[in-house]
Amino acid sequence: EKEGYPHFMLKEIHEQPRALRSTLHGLMSDAMMGEAAEMLADADTVFVTGAGTSYHASEYFALISMRLAERPVIAFIASEYGSYVNAAGPRDVLVAVSQSGETMDTLKALRAFKKRGSRVISLTNAVDSAIARESDVAVYTRAGPEIGVAATKTFLTQTLALTWLAVETATRIGSLRGGEEMELLKELESTPKHVEESISTTSELVKKLAERIAGSKSMYYLSRGVGLPVAREGALKIKEIAYVHAEAYPAGESKHGPIALVEPSFPVVFTIPNDAELQRMLLGNIEEMRARGGVIVGVLPRGSELRERVDLAIEVPRAHWIATALTHTPPLQLLAYHVASLKGLDPDKPRNLAKTVTVE
Ligand code: F6R
């Protein structure tokens, strides 16, 4: 039931704090989490894969893990497994991420890695799904059923669970400074509250932004570091439900070609993590885009100095950078939702798309 919301997507966006609370609860009581962290800490090479939104969560996991555990983690898009699987062996671990647990591309990747003797950890939202059943260790998000075709609450619960796993793994490897583990886990425990605030404080502003850009045919979503998968997720949402051509890429790439497309009123949405070094580098990219007359939107931590450098600042809670996907994604989901609504499209039923893709 939509519980008074006009669409499931909007309901599910607002359900995110609750979904995160259930997921946190599960993570804390599930012995499989410890086993998964143990397995990752012992692995030679860690691979992580998924499709669509689940790939974005996978990339987020790789970026957080590399920063915390100081080891390489290779993220790849599930349908591209053929290019990676020959590099895997019995000492390696694959993390397979899938909301439904039934996506054929991800299942095929899992099977191919198992054939090479690698062990598999799955993260799904569906108990007893094929991907959960065929993995060695199954970890779950507890987002509840997601009816909207566009993934929303499942992305936030995936990034929460995967960040938790990255912290637990780094703890076992011994790469965190004294007390850092507790500090990071505490940050993750605060995410339901942060997401609640991110939704409530940005909703009105995002609606206005939607009106401003609803006529745009094309947009960029830029970021760096842990903000990049969030930018990719923002672009995917607006493509799939509002049919706006949106491209996400690392902001440093602009000068290597894409900036040629930017002209007055071209929307450029920056995802700006709460990290001084990333902000310093993003400032240069913001200036480049402004100089071409782009409409610059910044999703940034409250109080950031970059607020003055963008045309429209969407302020989100000032949380630790490991929580970027949680704090920064909600306004991007809402933007896609409102642009779709303004165009008279049904965000719950985008054309050409199925909720779960069980063909290759
Ligand atoms: C995007 C979306 C899809 C899915 C993808 C993977 O909003 O819903 O891109 O993320 O099809 O599905 P799962 O996670 O079920 O494997």
Side-chain angles (χ1 to χ4, degrees):
E1 267 323 294
K2 293 185 198 151
E3 291 167 18
Y5 289 99
H7 299 101
F8 282 108
M9 184 181 178
L10 193 61
K11 171 182 173 250
E12 286 163 358
I13 290 172
H14 284 272
E15 244 169 40
Q16 292 182 122
R18 194 167 74 199
L20 291 169
R21 280 192 191 99
S22 319
T23 298
L24 271 171
H25 193 78
L27 293 175
M28 289 179 197
S29 55
D30 187 356
M32 287 302 123
M33 199 60 184
E35 267 193 44
E38 218 42 73
M39 198 183 263
L40 290 173
D42 286 344
D44 274 359
T45 304
V46 173
F47 295 85
V48 55
T49 197
T53 294
S54 292
Y55 168 69
H56 301 152
S58 301
E59 185 184 44
Y60 192 73
F61 174 70
L63 296 171
I64 301 261
S65 297
M66 287 193 282
R67 249 179 99 167
L68 296 185
E70 299 170 7
R71 286 190 182 181
V73 173
I74 300 170
F76 65 91
I77 288 175
S79 57
E80 286 295 309
Y81 73 86
S83 299
Y84 295 83
V85 70
N86 291 333
R91 300 255 342 119
D92 303 325
V93 173
L94 174 73
V95 181
V97 182
S98 171
Q99 187 284 123
S100 61
E102 304 289 348
T103 297
M104 189 49 76
D105 288 328
T106 312
L107 190 56
K108 286 245 169 173
L110 176 157
R111 287 175 179 160
F113 273 69
K114 285 193 79 169
K115 251 199 189 136
R116 302 276 309 177
S118 306
R119 280 161 309 159
V120 177
I121 297 168
S122 64
L123 177 69
T124 68
N125 194 42
V127 177
D128 247 4
S129 56
I131 289 170
R133 276 198 314 268
E134 295 190 26
S135 60
D136 298 288
V137 173
V139 180
Y140 293 98
T141 52
R142 299 188 184 193
E146 191 171 61
I147 311 290
V149 164
T152 53
K153 59 178 180 170
T154 54
F155 177 65
L156 264 66
T157 55
Q158 285 172 341
T159 51
L160 173 65
L162 290 166
T163 306
W164 191 284
L165 185 58
V167 173
E168 294 279 5
T169 305
T171 304
R172 282 167 174 78
I173 288 174
S175 59
L176 298 180
R177 281 175 281 108
E180 205 179 358
E181 179 202 3
M182 288 331 268
E183 184 201 325
L184 295 175
L185 293 180
K186 253 214 174 93
E187 282 290 339
L188 295 179
E189 285 176 44
S190 308
T191 54
K193 187 169 58 83
H194 286 145
V195 169
E196 218 157 67
E197 195 185 324
S198 173
I199 296 168
S200 64
T201 59
T202 63
S203 284
E204 282 311 305
L205 196 56
V206 168
K207 243 187 229 171
K208 291 206 181 88
L209 173 62
E211 282 165 20
R212 191 159 164 194
I213 64 161
S216 302
K217 288 214 159 35
S218 186
M219 307 172 61
Y220 283 155
Y221 282 73
L222 308 184
S223 190
R224 286 175 179 263
V226 290
L228 185 58
V230 179
R232 292 199 209 283
E233 179 59 8
L236 178 60
K237 289 295 94 119
I238 207 161
K239 265 189 280 216
E240 70 178 329
I241 64 165
Y243 315 149
V244 177
H245 172 250
E247 193 182 342
Y249 63 87
E253 276 291 282
S254 298
K255 57 188 175 299
H256 300 290
I259 199 166
L261 211 65
V262 178
E263 53 185 5
S265 86
F266 187 98
V268 185
V269 180
F270 281 91
T271 297
I272 303 171
N274 188 16
D275 176 280
E277 180 61 10
L278 291 177
Q279 293 201 8
R280 191 187 62 72
M281 291 192 291
L282 281 167
L283 177 58
N285 305 124
I286 290 172
E287 299 295 336
E288 285 164 5
M289 290 295 171
R290 270 172 76 98
R292 307 292 183 302
V295 176
I296 313 299
V297 178
V299 178
L300 40 73
R302 179 158 302 113
S304 161
E305 288 164 15
L306 268 62
R307 186 175 55 184
E308 313 298 329
R309 308 299 191 97
V310 297
D311 297 308
L312 184 74
I314 299 176
E315 293 185 298
V316 295
R318 200 175 179 82
H320 192 281
W321 62 262
I322 59 161
T324 304
L326 295 126
T327 48
H328 290 52
T329 305
L332 302 180
Q333 297 168 334
L334 287 165
L335 181 61
Y337 174 81
H338 289 301
V339 172
S341 299
L342 284 167
K343 290 176 143 182
L345 302 167
D346 180 354
D348 288 340
K349 294 194 192 67
R351 66 187 179 208
N352 308 337
L353 295 177
K355 179 72 181 160
T356 304
V357 186
T358 51
V359 292
E360 217 179 330

